[in-house]
Amino acid sequence: MPTLIILYFEFFKVGLFAIGGGLATLPFLYDLADKYPWITDTMIGDMIAISESTPGAMGINMATYVGFQNCGVIGGITTTLGLISPSIIVIIIIANALTKFKESSVVKNMFYVLRPMATGLIAAAGLSVIMLAIFGTSQVGLSINGVNFKAIILFIAIYIFIKKTKFHPVAAIALSGIIGVIFSF
């Protein structure tokens, strides 16, 4: 039972502070990987691939995955509720206030600051995904010996193929998954 409580509150914090969507949750997930044995950098890479390949919000998919991996169905439900609870609470609290004060300079300034912050979180998450795909870890400062050239070649080939043939991105994701399984990426 204590694990479920910890899972709920850790994902509550993720949901409270990860503004900007699913990719903005990645820095928080890497922090959780450092604090708990629930997830590793490799699992985060797998979660990104699965979450981007399946329907639904990326953050929700990742939270559900972590909870399910650690505590089964109840864990998946717990982490999902933990992740969405802050949004529900905040929406309930500010829904009326925002409509009353949407022309307020304070509200406009708040959103003016939130946009670049969310962009920074997403950029950091994107860099982590690139590092994970190329080097197999999210840590910066690696040598060329750890470069995953197969991943780079696959990326370039699929990118060129999509641009030249107008191949649908969903089909490209499926094709990448199949290639990854066949060639053990």
Side-chain angles (χ1 to χ4, degrees), residues 58-159:
M58 186 174 173
I60 300 289
N61 289 347
M62 289 194 286
T64 305
Y65 178 81
V66 171
F68 182 79
Q69 285 292 105
N70 291 284
C71 296
V73 173
I74 298 297
I77 292 169
T78 301
T79 53
T80 302
L81 289 174
L83 188 73
I84 65 171
S85 295
S87 298
I88 293 169
I89 293 167
V90 168
I91 288 170
I92 290 170
I93 292 171
I94 68 167
N96 289 332
L98 189 59
T99 57
K100 290 179 185 174
F101 300 108
K102 68 181 176 184
E103 296 303 320
S104 163
S105 64
V106 172
V107 172
K108 286 181 181 179
N109 289 339
M110 181 179 69
F111 282 109
Y112 184 77
V113 170
L114 285 175
R115 284 184 195 109
M117 184 197 63
T119 303
L121 283 172
I122 292 169
L127 180 61
S128 296
V129 171
I130 290 168
M131 295 299 294
L132 188 60
I134 293 174
F135 296 108
T137 180
S138 63
Q139 305 301 314
V140 179
L142 299 172
S143 70
I144 195 151
N145 296 335
V147 174
N148 184 348
F149 289 106
K150 290 191 302 186
I152 293 170
I153 292 167
L154 178 63
F155 167 77
I156 292 169
I158 289 180
Y159 179 80

